[in-house]
Amino acid sequence: MSEFVIPAPTVPTVPTTTGGRFPVRRVFCVGRNYAAHAREMGHDPDREPPFFFTKPADAVVTDGADTPYPSVTRQLEHEVELVVAIGRGGSDIPVDAALDHVWGYAVGIDLTRRDLQAEAKRLGRPWDTAKGFDASAPVGTITPAADVDPTSGTVEFRVHGDVRQTGDLADQIWSVAETVAELSRFVTLAPGDLLFTGTPDGVGVVDRGDLLEGTIGGVGSVRTVIV
């Protein structure tokens, strides 16, 4: 077997409540999955088909580590989300079997260079630099699926203790099962994939020095400081 010509990249991992770590293969995100957030972003929330974008696996920030403020933006915004950790792969997964493919759930923050995203939308360009930049996906500890009800739970996000976002998993336009099934139509899911499932309304700007804390009832929490 030939040797690598450069050092092989380290596999990003996320802590779990079991004590082991979950290796991250890919990171998918679904957009506008809460009606109120769709409205605040200027869109019709009437159950439009879900759409997906991606972040690189090494965009995850874990274990409460600080998150560096990204370059080339003056409008960094927060979006707190339920994160689904895929434990069993598959394609064209039926909705009624989708949750069987989930290893666990966590709380995550989809950080967005909103000014770059707005410009990309205006020009009809991809969102990659607005969504998929370094350290754009802080994630908390993953709780095994058997211990979580992904259909309900209070979602809350705070900056320096001030509540910015509130909602409930029951408010999702597309359920976790439906979202996993729909994504599996476009790509073959594999163990190690993460899926951010959308955010409630109340997204807003964060800056250097801000303490970000997100919680979802029955799931867990995520915490990071922008530096």
Side-chain angles (χ1 to χ4, degrees), residues 165-220:
Q165 292 182 265
T166 58
D168 196 284
L169 297 179
D171 299 332
Q172 291 185 333
I173 298 171
W174 293 84
S175 70
V176 169
E178 291 171 327
T179 303
V180 170
E182 182 71 5
L183 179 58
S184 77
R185 294 180 56 237
F186 295 94
V187 298
T188 299
L189 294 175
D193 289 341
L194 296 181
L195 171 59
F196 281 62
T197 60
T199 192
D201 61 323
V203 302
V205 174
V206 295
D207 207 343
R208 295 170 181 84
D210 283 348
L211 168 62
L212 313 185
E213 297 174 292
T215 59
I216 298 178
V219 178

Side-chain angles (χ1 to χ4, degrees), residues 2 13 18 25 42 45 50 53 107 122-123 128 137 144 175 195 206 209 222:
S2 61
T13 63
T18 65
R25 183 173 183 265
F53 57 93
V107 186
R122 186 180 70 83
L123 297 173
D128 297 60
S175 70
L195 171 59
V206 295
V222 61

Side-chain angles (χ1 to χ4, degrees), residues 36-194:
H37 175 59
R39 291 189 189 97
E40 77 174 346
M41 301 304 291
H43 298 278
D44 180 0
D46 189 19
R47 203 171 164 79
E48 63 180 350
F51 68 93
F52 301 93
F53 57 93
T54 62
K55 295 175 181 277
D58 61 3
V60 297
V61 178
T62 65
D63 302 281
D66 293 344
T67 298
Y69 193 95
S71 60
V72 201
T73 184
R74 295 183 179 180
Q75 191 178 356
L76 180 65
E77 294 196 358
H78 59 78
E79 300 183 12
V80 64
E81 312 202 6
L82 176 71
V83 179
V84 178
I86 299 296
R88 181 160 65 91
S91 60
D92 293 316
I93 300 169
V95 172
D96 60 5
L99 296 186
D100 295 336
H101 292 255
V102 177
W103 189 91
Y105 301 92
V107 186
I109 305 171
D110 169 15
L111 291 172
T112 304
R113 290 163 160 157
R114 193 71 70 195
D115 47 355
L116 271 64
Q117 185 188 36
E119 182 70 359
K121 289 179 178 179
R122 186 180 70 83
L123 297 173
R125 293 176 177 173
W127 292 4
D128 297 60
T129 57
K131 287 286 193 178
F133 53 92
D134 297 340
S136 59
V139 180
T141 302
I142 299 174
T143 299
D147 300 326
V148 175
D149 175 6
T151 65
S152 65
T154 301
V155 181
E156 187 172 88
F157 186 80
R158 300 175 299 279
V159 177
H160 286 309
D162 296 329
V163 176
R164 293 277 191 91
Q165 292 182 265
T166 58
D168 196 284
L169 297 179
D171 299 332
Q172 291 185 333
I173 298 171
W174 293 84
S175 70
V176 169
E178 291 171 327
T179 303
V180 170
E182 182 71 5
L183 179 58
S184 77
R185 294 180 56 237
F186 295 94
V187 298
T188 299
L189 294 175
D193 289 341
L194 296 181

